[in-house]
Amino acid sequence: MPTPPLPPPDAATPATAPDRGGPRDVGSAVPVLRVLDITTAYAFYRDVLGCRVDWEHRFGPGMPVYAQVSRDELRLHLSEHHGDGVSGGVLWVPVADVEALAAQVHERTDGRLRPGVDADAPGGPTTEVVDPFGNRLRFCRPTA
């Protein structure tokens, strides 16, 4: 049986998902970023972005690493496993002070990375940082 169409949005009513009878305990997504070398990845995510390494897993000695890094509410999985996607993805990450984050990246890379802040980016002022594997992290101070 096809799903009935949703009624048009009403400006006086907040937007909510329709009740479809499914589970209500769906959590936040955790992006999996493909990395080619975990040592290089840790140097970037820990030393440049200020994340901590929460855990790492290997199926055995010499096997690829699957790890989690985090900072505040940000959680990312880093994977050396061939089947876990390709490098070059884009993440949008909300941040309270985008200018301070851009300055931190500049300082912690001894000026090698110079992310600017686009004050007119969709969603609010945004800085984009590219990791050593081509994954783009767009840090944004949401305007709404």
Side-chain angles (χ1 to χ4, degrees):
M1 178 168 144
T3 304
L6 295 174
D10 179 358
T13 306
T16 58
D19 182 1
R20 301 210 191 268
R24 296 186 181 271
D25 57 349
V26 176
S28 299
V30 179
V32 179
L33 300 178
R34 176 79 159 98
V35 299
L36 303 177
D37 176 71
I38 200 67
T39 302
T40 303
Y42 286 163
F44 179 79
Y45 285 94
R46 184 188 56 224
D47 302 341
V48 175
L49 293 183
C51 294
R52 71 178 178 271
V53 178
D54 297 321
W55 51 260
E56 74 172 42
H57 174 266
R58 289 179 194 261
F59 284 106
M63 297 293 289
V65 172
Y66 190 93
Q68 177 175 290
V69 296
S70 64
R71 175 179 172 173
D72 302 319
E73 295 180 35
L74 174 66
R75 303 278 177 275
L76 300 173
H77 286 185
L78 307 177
S79 179
E80 290 181 318
H81 291 270
H82 175 72
D84 284 345
V86 296
S87 298
V90 177
L91 280 70
W92 186 89
V93 182
V95 62
D97 190 341
V98 69
E99 291 83 1
L101 191 130
Q104 171 188 313
V105 169
H106 182 260
E107 178 184 308
R108 290 185 177 183
T109 61
D110 296 322
R112 290 187 321 275
L113 296 179
R114 298 171 179 266
V117 175
D118 181 353
D120 299 319
T126 300
T127 190
E128 183 174 277
V129 180
V130 181
D131 80 2
F133 313 101
N135 298 302
R136 297 177 178 280
L137 293 92
R138 292 183 182 154
F139 294 95
C140 177
R141 182 178 62 237
T143 55

